[in-house]
Amino acid sequence: PWPTSTLLPMLLSLLAAASLSALDFHPLPNTLSQIEALRQLYTATNGVTWEEKMNEGWMKVERGLGSECAWDGVECDPEMNVIGIDLSTRGLRGTLPPEMVIKTLKYLHVDDNAMLSGTVSADLRRMDDLQTLFLRRTKLSGTLPDELITSLRTLREFTYGKTRISG
């Protein structure tokens, strides 16, 4: 048995060391929410029906956090943040889920998916780093929300020709 006078300082020392190592721990930012956003996209666009082998790896996270970076059409930076989604010409059917927001996303390409429908959500404005948004040749419709255009300050390229989008 340890004497009480020795035990308390040792416990305090261990707690202090644990606190410092917790400060040095850098969790993968945005990872759980980006997995959920990608899952919502997969589900809302009927991922199981995408063109053959175009849904490779989707919905599989057995390798743990960051495994979404190996999913077909998904690009990540070295910190495992999703920075790009290119699902052009995949046979997407359904809608873009309005809550699908990945703050680190730089590009979203869903063009040339003739069965992709619905409207463009104003929630896309929360993607602070979005630089390119390709929606052309889809059945997306409606009026683009004003707040979407005015708030996406990093947006450099936006295509929506051959859609039913106005604005």
Side-chain angles (χ1 to χ4, degrees), residues 122 125 133 144-155 158 160 167:
R125 75 181 183 280
L133 179 59
L144 287 174
D146 289 335
E147 63 269 25
L148 176 65
I149 302 302
T150 57
S151 62
L152 289 175
R153 302 199 189 289
T154 57
L155 193 64
F158 176 45
Y160 63 99

Side-chain angles (χ1 to χ4, degrees), residues 3-159:
T4 310
S5 60
T6 321
L7 187 57
L8 185 59
M10 188 164 63
L11 283 174
L12 290 173
S13 177
L14 285 171
L15 285 173
S19 296
L20 286 176
S21 65
L23 290 174
D24 291 339
F25 175 69
H26 301 289
L28 299 174
N30 208 20
T31 303
L32 290 177
S33 61
Q34 70 187 16
I35 289 173
E36 186 56 36
L38 290 168
R39 285 181 172 175
Q40 290 172 1
L41 176 63
Y42 181 88
T43 302
T45 59
N46 293 294
V48 294
T49 65
W50 294 354
E51 296 295 323
E52 187 178 341
K53 299 215 183 239
M54 295 293 189
N55 60 2
E56 194 85 17
W58 280 74
M59 304 299 278
K60 295 178 185 170
V61 289
E62 69 272 356
R63 291 186 303 250
L65 298 176
S67 65
E68 68 274 19
C69 296
W71 296 355
D72 192 54
V74 176
E75 181 185 354
C76 293
D77 65 14
E79 289 81 38
M80 308 299 260
N81 294 303
V82 173
I83 60 170
I85 300 173
D86 185 353
L87 299 177
S88 302
T89 320
R90 300 291 172 113
L92 277 61
R93 298 172 181 272
T95 61
L96 292 175
E99 62 280 349
M100 188 206 80
V101 174
I102 300 174
K103 301 225 13 119
T104 55
L105 202 66
K106 294 184 185 306
Y107 65 89
L108 175 60
H109 300 172
V110 293
D111 49 318
D112 295 310
N113 284 292
M115 301 306 290
L116 185 63
S117 59
T119 59
V120 179
S121 171
D123 284 339
L124 288 179
R125 75 181 183 280
R126 295 184 7 225
M127 294 196 218
D128 302 329
D129 293 334
L130 196 63
Q131 296 172 12
T132 63
L133 179 59
F134 293 170
L135 306 175
R136 69 181 172 256
R137 291 187 287 277
T138 63
K139 287 187 179 174
L140 291 167
S141 61
T143 303
L144 287 174
D146 289 335
E147 63 269 25
L148 176 65
I149 302 302
T150 57
S151 62
L152 289 175
R153 302 199 189 289
T154 57
L155 193 64
R156 287 190 244 144
E157 197 171 353
F158 176 45
T159 63

